[in-house]
Amino acid sequence: MTTLTLVQGDITRQHADAIVNAANSSLLGGGGVDGAIHRRGGPAVLAECRALRASRYGKGLPTGRAVATTAGELDARWVIHTVGPVYSPTEDRSDLLASCYRESLRVADELGARTVAFPAISTGVYRWPVEDAARIAVEAVRSTPTAVEEVRFVLFDERAYEAFARQTG
């Protein structure tokens, strides 16, 4: 059975087998969590992302999919990159958001990861309302069969932490 834990803080400071990156489709870094993971992980993360772009993902990683690289200088073995959907008030993209969590757990299982740290995917510049994102994330993790022993949601601020606490409570 997978244990869900919540932490308020910086995901790049977590010790876990795998840290999930809320990546953009280019895999080449950006703002928010993505930029922070690339900066703290160092050049090895970017080098593997560039290799993925040059091989399997020439057009970028599709929304809702996940792929792993080294964690470089992070206190983890791997970074699992997943591309969340941009929130739309007129189109239901919740299955794509749930897919980010399911696909990340699938990749974690392939790697043999037992602890996985997730950010609140799509709640930053992609503007997904944090209450809804928390509901989707927790439902997706709870309903996905996995050998991962601990899923840790690492929330950047108190508002996100409280939203996830209401869903796990």
Side-chain angles (χ1 to χ4, degrees):
M1 169 130 162
T2 303
T3 301
L4 301 185
T5 58
L6 305 180
V7 174
Q8 184 178 333
D10 179 349
I11 196 165
T12 69
R13 299 287 187 190
Q14 295 296 305
H15 170 74
D17 291 336
I19 292 175
V20 176
N21 180 19
N24 64 51
S25 63
S26 78
L27 296 174
L28 301 179
V33 169
D34 192 18
I37 285 175
H38 274 270
R39 282 189 300 277
R40 179 107 355 108
V45 176
L46 182 58
E48 285 196 24
C49 285
R50 285 189 171 136
L52 287 167
R53 284 298 306 273
S55 59
R56 293 187 290 176
Y57 299 107
K59 294 181 180 175
L61 184 65
T63 301
R65 300 285 306 277
V67 65
T69 65
T70 182
E73 297 169 32
L74 293 162
D75 192 10
R77 293 180 66 190
W78 304 283
V79 172
I80 299 173
H81 305 266
T82 190
V83 180
V86 174
Y87 178 74
S88 169
T90 59
E91 179 186 349
D92 182 8
R93 298 177 179 166
S94 56
D95 194 55
L96 282 171
L97 183 54
S99 179
C100 291
Y101 293 93
R102 289 191 305 264
E103 284 290 299
S104 294
L105 289 172
R106 178 189 60 76
V107 170
D109 282 340
E110 288 175 359
L111 296 168
R114 293 295 173 255
T115 55
V116 178
F118 279 98
I121 297 166
S122 288
T123 61
V125 296
Y126 288 0
R127 302 180 316 279
W128 205 286
V130 70
E131 290 287 339
D132 194 46
R135 177 188 60 79
I136 292 165
V138 171
E139 285 178 5
V141 168
R142 283 186 171 153
S143 66
T144 302
T146 181
V148 171
E149 295 167 3
E150 180 196 5
V151 166
R152 187 178 318 141
F153 291 108
V154 183
L155 297 316
F156 188 71
D157 60 24
E158 188 174 342
R159 190 170 142 257
Y161 181 91
E162 289 173 359
F164 276 75
R166 283 190 283 280
Q167 295 301 316
T168 58

